[in-house]
Amino acid sequence: MKLWKKVAVAGTTLLAAVALVACSGGSSSSSTASSKSGSVSGSVSLWVDTTQVPFYKTIVKNFNKKYPDIKVKLTQSPNGSANAKTDVGKDPAKAADVFEVPNDQLGQLAESGYINPLSPAAEKTVKANNTSVSVDGVTWKGKMYAFPFAEQAQTIYYNKSKLTAEDVKSWDTLTSKGVLATDFSNSYNFYPVMFSAGTELFGKDGETLKGTTANTEQGVNALKWLAAQKSNKGVMQTSNALNQLKSGHAQAIIDGPWDAANLKKILGDNYAVAPYPTINIGGEQKQMQAFLGIEAFAVNSHTDAKNQKAAAALAEFITNKQSQLIVYEESGQIPTDKATQASDKVASDPVAKAVMVMSKPGYSTLMPKMPQMATFWDAATPLINGAYTGSVKEAQYTTKLDAFVKRISKAN
Amino acid sequence: MKSYKVQRRLSLTFRYLLLVVLAVIWLVPILWIILASFSYNDTGFVSTFWPEKFTIQNYVGILNSSQFPFLDWMRNTFIVAVISMVLSTFVTISVAYALSRLRFRFRKPFLQIALVLGMFPGFMSMIALYYILKSFNMLNLGGLVLVYVGGAGLGFYIAKGFFDTIPRSMDEAAIIDGATRWQVFIHIGLPMSRPMIVYTALMAFIGPWIDFIFSGIILSSSGNARTYTIAYGLYNMLHSTKGSSTTYFTQFIAGCVVIAIPITILFVIMQKFYVNGITAGADKG
Amino acid sequence: MFKRKDKKPPKATYKEVWSKGGWASKLSFFLMGVSSLKNRQWVRGIAYLAIEIAFFAWFVMNGISALSMLSNLGAIKKKQLVFDKQEGVYITKLPDNSVTILLFGVLAVLLLLGIIFLYVTNLRATKKLYIDNRDGEHVETNMEQLKSLFDSRLHTTLMTIPIIGILAFTVLPTLYMISMAFTNYDSKHSIGFSWTGFQAFGNVLSGDLAGTFFPVLGWTLVWAVCATATTFFFGVLLAMLIESKGIKFKGVWRTLFVIVYAVPQFVSLLLMAQFLDPQGPLNNILMNWGLIAHPINFIGASASPLVARITVIVVNMWIGIPVSMLVSTAIIQNLPQDQIEAARMDGANALQVFRSITFPQILFVMAPSLIQQFIGNINNFNVIYLLTGGYPMNNNYVGAGDTDLLVTWLYNLVFGQTQRYNASAVLGILIFILSAVFSLAAYRRTNAFKEG
C-alpha cells in the first residue's frame, strides 16, 4: 500500500507540473522574446496560392535583402486563399505564420483568435500608404488585422466590335444590343443588386449584427429586378460565361481581374472593360453595385512569440509598394497602395482603371467582415438564384427576405 | 421450322442491335473525356463533343509543369499504392483467415463490433485522423499508408466469405499429421486463397489512385506539391487559385486520362478476380 | 458468445489464488507478469511487466492530465488579446485547444481500457499457473509459449497488428466523433468548446436544421432504394442479354461496359457534370439533332429538383450497372439448369422463366450483397459530391441542395461555409442508426427467408 501512496503523491506532483507545462504550451504566449532591437531575426513560413508561388519567390528574395536574418519558408496553401478560413481552422498551429485572407473571412478569423492585430506602428504605415477603403476592409472592431495588398471588384468585360462604350453604360441598352452571359447561382455576382436598391448588409460599417435591411421594400424591388432578368433576352444564365463569350453567344460578361489575362487572350483586339452599368430598379436609374473585396496577408496568432515580429515584418514587406507592383505585373491584381495605383503602369491599365472606379463608394460595397458572412453566403445564394429562376415567387418575397435577415442576424 | 429459324435470326439481330446501342451510350461520355483531353481550350469549359481544335499541348503541359509536378505525383502514388497493397493484403487476409478458420474467445464479439464500426460515415473521423497522425509527426505519405492499412483490418468480409467456402477437411487432416496451424495457414490456406489475394491486392492498389479526400486532408498542410498523390494533386489543380480552373482545365483532363488508362486496363484484366471476390463474399454475406 | 460450450467450473477462485498463492502470485495482482517470470516464462513476463511500467510512466506523465481535462475540455474558453510593449506587437492568448484535449482524452480512456483488459488476462494467466503448480501439472515453458503463437494461439499473431490498426484508425476516430456530437464545437467555438449534452441533437431534430434534415433524409432513402434497385435490376437484364444464346465475344461485350466502372470516379463524374451542363456537349448534340429546342438543365444550380434527381439516378446506373452485370453473370453461369429446362418443357416462355425462376434465384444469392449496396448508397458520397455538388439549390434548406444526401450535407457542414462540427457529428450518428436499423431488419428477413 505504501507504493500506492508514493505513486499517488508523485502522480499529483507530476500532474501539477504537466498541467503547468500543458497550459503554457497550449497558448503561444509564453513570451520568451529577447529584447533585441534593431535587426529582426527569426524563421517564418508563408502561404500563397499555388500559381503565385513563382513570383512570390522574387518578393521573398527582395525581402531577404532587407532582412537577411529572417528565414522564410514559402509554400503553397492547401486549398487557396479563398479557403483560408477552413485551411487555417483545420489546424491553426500547422498553418503558415503569414497567409493570405479575403476580407469577408477576417471577422471570423479574428473572433476565433486565429490572427493577430497589427502593431500600432504597422497600422500607421498601412494607413498612410493604402486607400482608405482597403484599410476599412481589414479593420475589425477598431483594430487592423491584416496587411491589404489588392482590391477586387467585378467589372464588365465586353467585345468592343459588338458593343460600344456608350452601350455598356446602362444595363438596359447593354442587354438590348447584345447578350450578357453571367451566373445567377453565384450570389457574389448578384447580391449587390440589393445594395443598388438601397439596402444595407450588416449596417453601413459592415459590423452591425442587426444592421441588415434587406427585408424592406427596396429589398423586394431588388428581387423583382432579378426576376425580370429571367425573361430578358439579353441576359444568359450560364455556368461558364467565358465559354459563351468565346463562342460568340454572348458579347459581354461580368468577371473579376483574376480572369483578365484569359479574357485578353479570348477577345484579342476586341477586348474592352468597363465599370458596372446603371440599372433600373424600383422605377429609378441606379448604379449597379459590386462586392468590393480586399485581399490581405495576416499573421497567425499561433506563431511563436519570438517569431511574431519577423512574421509581421514579412507581411508588411510583401504588401508594400514594391511588392504590390510585382503582384500586379505578374497576376494582374489591382494594388491598394495609393502611390502604386497612381503609377503610370497601373493608371494606364483599363482593367485597373475600371476596378478603381468600382472601388469608389456608390459603385461597390465593401464585403462585410462579420463572422456571420459564412451564413450569409449559404443563405443568400439560393435566395438570389431562386428569385431569378422564379422558384421564389413574388408573393413570397417578404417572408423569404424576413427569414433571410433573421437567419444571418443570429448572434450565436 | 423455317419460320422458327427466321425468328431466331431476328431475335439475335435485335439483341445485337440492342447491345450495340447500349455500348455506344455507355462509351460516348468516356470517348468525350478522351477527346476533350486533346482539345485546345482556354475557357475552362468544353462545350462541344468534337474538339474545335486538336492539340497535344495539354499532355505536354501536364508532364512539364513546374507548379504541378505530375510525374512526382505519379511516383508518390505508385509507392503508396504498392506499399499499402502489400501491407493491406497481408492484414486483410490474416484477419479473414483467423476469423474464418480459427476459433477463439473474441471471435464473435469482434465480428459484431466490426459490423457496427463499418456503418459510421468516415468523414468525421478525418479530423481525428489528422491529429493522430500529426502527433506522430506523420502528416506525409507514410501517414497516408498507415491510414489505408489501418482500415484494412475491417475489410475482411469478402475474403472471410471466401475462406468459409473452402472445406475444412484438409486443414484437419494436416493437423492430425502434426502440422501446426501456422503451417496450415502458409501451406494450405494461402495457396488456396490466391484469387482472393489478387482481388484484395487489386482493390488496395487502386485505392490510393482514386482517393482525393483523405490524401488531401493529410498531405495538404505540407504545402509542398511534390509530396502530393495524384488524385489530390489533380483535384487541387482546379481549386487552388481563383481563375485556375479556367487555365488548367484541359490539362486536368489530360492528367485524368493519363492515370485512368492504366487503372482501367488493370481493372479490365482483373475483372475475373473481382467477380470471384464479390460473389464469394455474397454467398455467405 | 453467451453459449460457451463445455465450460468446466473454475478449478480455483481468484480469492484462493490470492490467499494461498506464493509471493509471486500475490505480487502479480500488482505487478503484471511476476508469476510468469517466476515460472520462467520470460517473454510473457517481461512483456507484461514492460507494458505495465510503460503504462504507468505514460499515465503519470500525460494520462492523468488527459483524463482530468476531459471533464471540461480545457479551462480557458476565451481568447485574450495582449499588447507586448517590449516587442511592440499584439499577442493572442489562445483558449485551451479542446480538439486535442478531447482526442487525447478519448485515447487515454482507450488505453485505460486496454490496460484493464491486459490486467485481466494477467490474472487469468496467474490463476492458470497457480492451478498447474498446485495440481502438479505441466507448466508451459517459455519456448512452448512462443511456439503456441504459431499454433494454438495463431489468432493472436494474426490479429494483433490489425486490431491495433483498427483501434487507432477507426475506433478512436469514431469515439472522438461520437463525443463531438455532445459539444458546442462549431465555427464560433472553434478552439475552446465545451460539453453541451444533447443540444446539437436538438438543433438537428427540431432546431434550425430540422427543416433540412427531414427532407434530406427522405431523399437519401428514396435515392438509396432507387439506386440499388435500378442498378441491380438492369444489371441482371444486361447480364442475361450478354449471356443469351448466339451472342459471340461475350467477354468483349462485358469489357466494353466494365470500362466505365473502371475509370476513376473523380474523373468520370466530374467530367460527366460538364457533359450534362446546359451548354455542354450533350445538350449541344441534342439541339443539333433537333431533338430539343432549348437546352435541358439536368443538374445545374437552378435545375428542376425532379429532373436533377432523376439524372443522378440515371448517371448512377451508368456507373453501377456494369458491376452488377459482372456479378450477375457469375451467378447466372452457376445457376442450376434443370429447373429452367423443366419449366421450358412445360411450355413456359422466356419471360415467365425469368420472372419466376431466374430472377428469384439471383435475388436469393444476391440478397446480402444488396443490403450492403443499399447501405453503401446511403453513404454514396462520390456520385453526389462529384456530379452535382448537391445542386440544384433549395432556398428552404440550410447548407444543402436538392440532391444532397445526408453524408454530403455532413461534409458541407464540416468543410463548407458554416463549420458546424457538432451538427455534422450528430448527422454521423444518425446515419449510423439508419444503416444499423436497415441492415438489422434486412438480415433478419433474409435469415427468415433462408430458414423458411
Side-chain angles (χ1 to χ4, degrees):
Chain A
M1 288 297 129
K2 257 185 180 168
L3 182 72
W4 279 112
K5 250 182 198 168
K6 267 186 188 164
V7 169
V9 170
T12 15
T13 327
L14 263 166
L15 168 66
V18 167
L20 277 173
V21 172
C23 287
S24 54
S27 57
S28 52
S29 61
S30 48
S31 177
T32 50
S34 55
S35 57
K36 230 194 321 171
S37 55
S39 77
V40 194
S41 66
S43 130
V44 289
S45 54
L46 169 66
W47 267 358
V48 300
D49 289 355
T50 313
T51 48
Q52 302 176 350
V53 172
F55 60 82
Y56 271 98
K57 270 188 190 144
T58 324
I59 296 177
V60 168
K61 224 176 258 163
N62 294 339
F63 173 73
N64 276 333
K65 273 178 212 150
K66 193 173 168 196
Y67 297 93
D69 295 335
I70 300 180
K71 226 179 132 253
V72 181
K73 189 179 164 231
L74 169 69
T75 58
Q76 54 179 310
S77 71
N79 296 299
S81 53
N83 295 305
K85 189 179 64 181
T86 6
D87 281 345
V88 175
K90 190 177 90 182
D91 183 8
K94 195 87 185 170
D97 299 317
V98 178
F99 53 84
E100 189 183 336
V101 275
N103 75 309
D104 64 318
Q105 298 178 7
L106 203 76
Q108 186 173 347
L109 288 166
E111 283 298 288
S112 307
Y114 291 153
I115 51 178
N116 271 343
L118 272 58
S119 68
E123 225 173 80
K124 218 181 261 169
T125 357
V126 172
K127 259 186 198 154
N129 292 337
N130 292 282
T131 57
S132 69
V133 67
S134 65
V135 170
D136 288 346
V138 294
T139 307
W140 171 248
K141 290 188 175 161
K143 284 200 181 70
M144 283 169 68
Y145 274 87
F147 297 84
F149 73 95
E151 55 188 32
Q152 298 182 335
Q154 302 209 90
T155 51
I156 299 271
Y157 293 85
Y158 64 98
N159 183 332
K160 70 179 171 201
S161 69
K162 301 278 163 55
L163 293 163
T164 65
E166 204 55 39
D167 293 337
V168 297
K169 280 194 174 146
S170 133
W171 179 269
D172 293 340
T173 40
L174 166 62
T175 56
S176 65
K177 293 201 173 165
V179 173
L180 178 128
T182 186
D183 187 3
F184 283 87
S185 68
N186 185 350
S187 54
Y188 179 74
N189 289 344
F190 282 98
Y191 186 86
V193 170
M194 286 277 194
F195 303 132
S196 305
T199 72
E200 280 170 5
L201 180 61
F202 298 122
K204 259 198 170 47
D205 55 358
E207 294 187 24
T208 318
L209 182 62
K210 303 281 176 197
T212 309
T213 57
N215 52 345
T216 52
E217 168 124 34
Q218 285 100 322
V220 172
N221 284 341
L223 294 190
K224 277 184 191 158
W225 183 86
L226 287 167
Q229 300 316 310
K230 178 85 180 165
S231 51
N232 187 339
K233 286 259 180 301
V235 178
M236 173 197 247
Q237 159 65 31
T238 174
S239 58
N240 192 297
L242 231 51
N243 193 271
Q244 299 308 308
L245 189 68
K246 186 178 185 190
S247 62
H249 295 137
Q251 287 76 45
I253 65 166
I254 288 175
D255 211 333
W258 53 87
D259 263 336
N262 283 320
L263 279 156
K264 254 177 225 165
K265 255 195 279 170
I266 290 170
L267 286 175
D269 291 342
N270 296 325
Y271 169 83
V273 52
Y276 271 10
T278 55
I279 52 176
N280 192 310
I281 200 161
E284 280 175 72
Q285 203 66 22
K286 296 258 183 73
Q287 174 62 42
M288 185 179 177
Q289 288 209 18
F291 267 128
L292 180 67
I294 304 295
E295 289 292 321
F297 276 98
V299 173
N300 193 330
S301 60
H302 280 75
T303 302
D304 285 345
K306 62 175 168 24
N307 284 330
Q308 277 286 346
K309 226 174 167 179
L314 176 67
E316 188 171 342
F317 186 89
I318 59 179
T319 55
N320 70 9
K321 190 179 157 181
Q322 179 200 11
S323 305
Q324 283 194 23
L325 196 65
I326 297 177
V327 173
Y328 165 74
E329 282 167 350
E330 295 286 342
S331 67
Q333 302 212 65
I334 314 305
T336 56
D337 184 276
K338 282 184 257 182
T340 320
Q341 281 193 350
S343 73
D344 288 347
K345 227 184 211 155
V346 180
S348 62
D349 174 4
V351 180
K353 262 196 288 191
V355 173
M356 270 143 57
V357 170
M358 288 300 292
S359 72
K360 283 181 193 151
Y363 284 86
S364 63
T365 300
L366 192 65
M367 275 199 281
K369 293 142 279 180
M370 297 290 283
Q372 278 79 5
M373 281 305 281
T375 322
F376 164 79
W377 292 119
D378 260 4
T381 310
L383 179 69
I384 297 296
N385 187 50
Y388 167 73
T389 59
S391 67
V392 176
K393 306 268 176 312
E394 200 171 326
Q396 297 171 292
Y397 285 172
T398 347
T399 47
K400 285 281 176 193
L401 284 169
D402 279 338
F404 164 72
V405 172
K406 210 175 132 208
R407 196 173 141 199
I408 65 168
S409 311
K410 258 187 257 169
N412 236 321
Chain B
M1 264 295 121
K2 204 171 182 192
S3 76
Y4 178 66
K5 224 176 196 172
V6 170
Q7 209 185 336
R8 283 285 298 269
R9 187 163 294 163
L10 250 172
S11 140
L12 191 64
T13 323
F14 172 73
R15 280 180 285 148
Y16 267 120
L17 210 67
L18 190 63
L19 266 182
V20 170
V21 169
L22 286 176
V24 167
I25 292 176
W26 247 257
L27 290 178
V28 156
I30 302 291
L31 180 67
W32 172 69
I33 293 174
I34 295 169
L35 285 174
S37 73
F38 285 105
S39 73
Y40 173 80
N41 187 294
D42 50 12
T43 64
F45 186 90
V46 182
S47 66
T48 53
F49 185 80
W50 202 256
E52 285 148 354
K53 209 165 118 193
F54 278 93
T55 174
I56 55 159
Q57 275 311 308
N58 301 325
Y59 287 92
V60 176
I62 186 85
L63 293 174
N64 292 327
S65 170
S66 58
Q67 282 161 20
F68 305 108
F70 190 75
L71 293 173
D72 285 331
W73 297 343
M74 294 268 271
R75 192 199 56 216
N76 293 342
T77 318
F78 185 76
I79 293 171
V80 168
V82 168
I83 298 176
S84 103
M85 174 182 79
V86 172
L87 297 179
S88 300
T89 311
F90 173 72
V91 165
T92 310
I93 297 288
S94 306
V95 171
Y97 185 82
L99 290 174
S100 169
R101 302 306 247 204
L102 307 174
R103 290 290 174 271
F104 49 96
R105 195 194 310 241
F106 292 103
R107 184 175 163 272
K108 273 260 170 83
F110 183 86
L111 280 171
Q112 285 159 346
I113 292 172
L115 193 71
V116 167
L117 279 176
M119 287 176 195
F120 280 97
F123 290 115
M124 296 309 303
S125 61
M126 286 192 298
I127 302 173
L129 279 177
Y130 173 86
Y131 278 99
I132 293 169
L133 289 174
K134 190 186 160 200
S135 64
F136 292 117
N137 215 0
M138 289 282 281
L139 290 172
N140 49 30
L141 295 167
L144 196 60
V145 171
L146 273 188
V147 171
Y148 292 142
V149 176
L154 287 174
F156 59 80
Y157 282 99
I158 289 175
K160 177 180 171 290
F162 180 83
F163 281 122
D164 287 344
T165 60
I166 303 177
R168 304 180 60 145
S169 49
M170 259 218 282
D171 300 19
E172 280 152 16
I175 285 178
I176 289 169
D177 287 350
T180 64
R181 288 190 173 79
W182 173 256
Q183 286 163 334
V184 173
F185 174 55
I186 294 291
H187 296 298
I188 301 178
L190 287 186
M192 284 184 94
S193 61
R194 228 184 54 205
M196 213 55 249
I197 293 176
V198 174
Y199 165 73
T200 317
L202 173 70
M203 287 291 115
F205 182 80
I206 291 182
W209 295 89
I210 57 180
D211 163 48
F212 61 95
I213 296 202
F214 273 95
S215 52
I217 297 267
I218 290 164
L219 300 174
S220 64
S221 56
S222 78
N224 182 356
R226 305 183 76 97
T227 65
Y228 293 171
T229 59
I230 197 125
Y232 174 64
L234 284 173
Y235 195 75
N236 181 266
M237 235 172 120
L238 290 193
H239 299 268
S240 58
T241 318
K242 251 185 191 170
S244 68
S245 59
T246 313
T247 321
Y248 297 108
F249 185 67
T250 40
Q251 287 194 17
F252 165 79
I253 305 182
C256 287
V257 171
V258 170
I259 63 155
I261 285 172
I263 298 236
T264 310
I265 292 175
L266 195 63
F267 193 90
V268 167
I269 294 173
M270 298 288 194
Q271 53 174 300
K272 195 179 80 207
F273 294 105
Y274 183 78
V275 172
N276 284 347
I278 290 207
T279 42
D283 283 344
K284 287 272 174 169
Chain C
M1 134 186 192
F2 300 107
K3 292 179 272 175
R4 210 164 282 148
K5 280 170 268 169
D6 50 65
K7 184 149 188 208
K8 286 174 205 136
K11 286 185 184 163
T13 59
Y14 288 116
K15 212 171 167 186
E16 189 190 333
V17 178
W18 171 249
S19 55
K20 294 202 183 149
W23 60 271
S25 298
K26 282 202 169 80
L27 201 53
S28 285
F29 280 80
F30 304 103
L31 282 175
M32 304 198 314
V34 172
S35 76
S36 295
L37 284 176
K38 166 131 192 291
N39 287 288
R40 295 163 171 269
Q41 297 172 343
W42 303 119
V43 174
R44 173 188 273 195
I46 289 171
Y48 268 132
L49 206 58
I51 289 173
E52 181 167 350
I53 291 169
F55 175 79
F56 273 103
W58 166 82
F59 191 68
V60 171
M61 303 267 282
N62 308 94
I64 300 173
S65 79
L67 284 173
S68 64
M69 277 158 97
L70 197 56
S71 63
N72 62 354
L73 299 175
I76 309 166
K77 300 284 179 205
K78 284 233 179 319
K79 62 152 183 136
Q80 219 184 342
L81 207 54
V82 232
F83 186 63
D84 183 341
K85 280 202 187 110
Q86 206 174 24
E87 289 283 309
V89 289
Y90 279 99
I91 283 180
T92 310
K93 286 197 173 179
L94 292 163
D96 290 338
N97 192 343
S98 305
V99 173
T100 45
I101 292 174
L102 180 57
L103 184 64
F104 288 106
V106 174
L107 178 65
V109 172
L110 271 183
L111 286 177
L112 208 57
L113 290 177
I115 202 79
I116 290 172
F117 172 77
L118 282 179
Y119 180 71
V120 171
T121 61
N122 157 62
L123 282 189
R124 208 175 270 142
T126 309
K127 189 165 84 179
K128 183 158 189 318
L129 285 172
Y130 166 78
I131 294 170
D132 288 348
N133 280 320
R134 184 193 65 185
D135 300 351
E137 275 170 34
H138 173 66
V139 176
E140 267 187 315
T141 66
N142 194 32
M143 262 339 259
E144 278 170 351
Q145 262 179 357
L146 286 180
K147 274 186 183 155
S148 76
L149 282 176
F150 290 94
D151 196 7
S152 61
R153 290 195 182 97
L154 180 61
H155 58 271
T156 322
T157 318
L158 291 181
M159 302 279 289
T160 305
I161 292 174
I163 285 185
I164 291 174
I166 291 170
L167 281 176
F169 293 106
T170 310
V171 175
L172 174 59
T174 306
L175 290 177
Y176 166 80
M177 178 204 88
I178 294 173
S179 33
M180 219 153 74
F182 300 95
T183 66
N184 60 356
Y185 184 25
D186 57 17
S187 61
K188 275 149 206 135
H189 310 88
S190 53
I191 303 181
F193 51 84
S194 11
W195 296 110
T196 50
F198 283 89
Q199 201 176 304
F201 283 84
N203 280 340
V204 171
L205 293 174
S206 61
D208 64 329
L209 297 177
T212 316
F213 174 71
F214 290 102
V216 172
L217 171 67
W219 157 241
T220 305
L221 292 178
V222 171
W223 148 264
V225 170
C226 292
T228 315
T230 49
T231 51
F232 168 67
F233 183 71
F234 289 103
V236 171
L237 284 187
L238 183 62
M240 295 193 60
L241 180 63
I242 295 178
E243 281 300 305
S244 67
K245 266 189 198 130
I247 300 282
K248 287 198 176 116
F249 308 116
K250 294 181 171 28
V252 176
W253 287 112
R254 275 198 290 273
T255 305
L256 285 181
F257 289 94
V258 169
I259 286 175
V260 173
Y261 180 75
V263 176
Q265 290 196 343
F266 82 93
V267 178
S268 56
L269 289 172
L270 264 183
L271 291 166
M272 195 62 177
Q274 205 167 86
F275 192 70
L276 295 172
D277 190 274
Q279 278 110 17
L282 182 61
N283 271 306
N284 270 338
I285 293 174
L286 293 178
M287 294 218 314
N288 281 343
W289 289 351
L291 291 176
I292 50 172
H294 298 286
I296 303 170
N297 196 344
F298 289 104
I299 48 169
S302 36
S304 130
L306 186 67
V307 172
R309 286 174 174 183
I310 292 172
T311 311
V312 170
I313 289 172
V314 170
V315 172
N316 183 63
M317 283 163 67
W318 178 62
I319 290 207
I321 285 179
V323 213
S324 114
M325 178 268 292
L326 271 185
V327 177
S328 332
T329 306
I331 295 170
I332 289 171
Q333 285 169 346
N334 293 327
L335 279 185
Q337 292 295 313
D338 44 348
Q339 244 183 326
I340 299 174
E341 299 274 298
R344 284 249 169 79
M345 302 278 263
D346 291 349
N349 63 27
L351 188 71
Q352 282 167 327
V353 171
F354 173 72
R355 212 179 49 198
S356 37
I357 299 178
T358 322
F359 192 71
Q361 275 176 336
I362 297 175
L363 191 64
F364 180 77
V365 180
M366 293 272 291
S369 89
L370 279 179
I371 298 163
Q372 276 172 8
Q373 270 183 44
F374 180 78
I375 294 181
N377 274 324
I378 290 182
N379 288 313
N380 198 333
F381 177 79
N382 270 4
V383 169
I384 304 299
Y385 179 76
L386 295 172
L387 186 64
T388 68
Y391 282 168
M393 289 175 184
N394 185 321
N395 54 58
N396 299 314
Y397 288 178
V398 174
D402 276 313
T403 57
D404 261 322
L405 304 178
L406 286 177
V407 67
T408 51
W409 186 35
L410 181 159
Y411 181 87
N412 287 346
L413 287 176
V414 179
F415 296 100
Q417 285 284 358
T418 56
Q419 290 135 307
R420 299 178 67 160
Y421 302 100
N422 55 352
S424 61
V426 171
L427 279 185
I429 294 175
L430 293 175
I431 292 174
F432 160 71
I433 293 173
L434 196 69
S435 320
V437 166
F438 272 100
S439 51
L440 234 126
Y443 278 120
R444 279 257 166 87
R445 286 217 48 186
T446 49
N447 279 342
F449 200 63
K450 276 176 187 166
E451 280 156 23

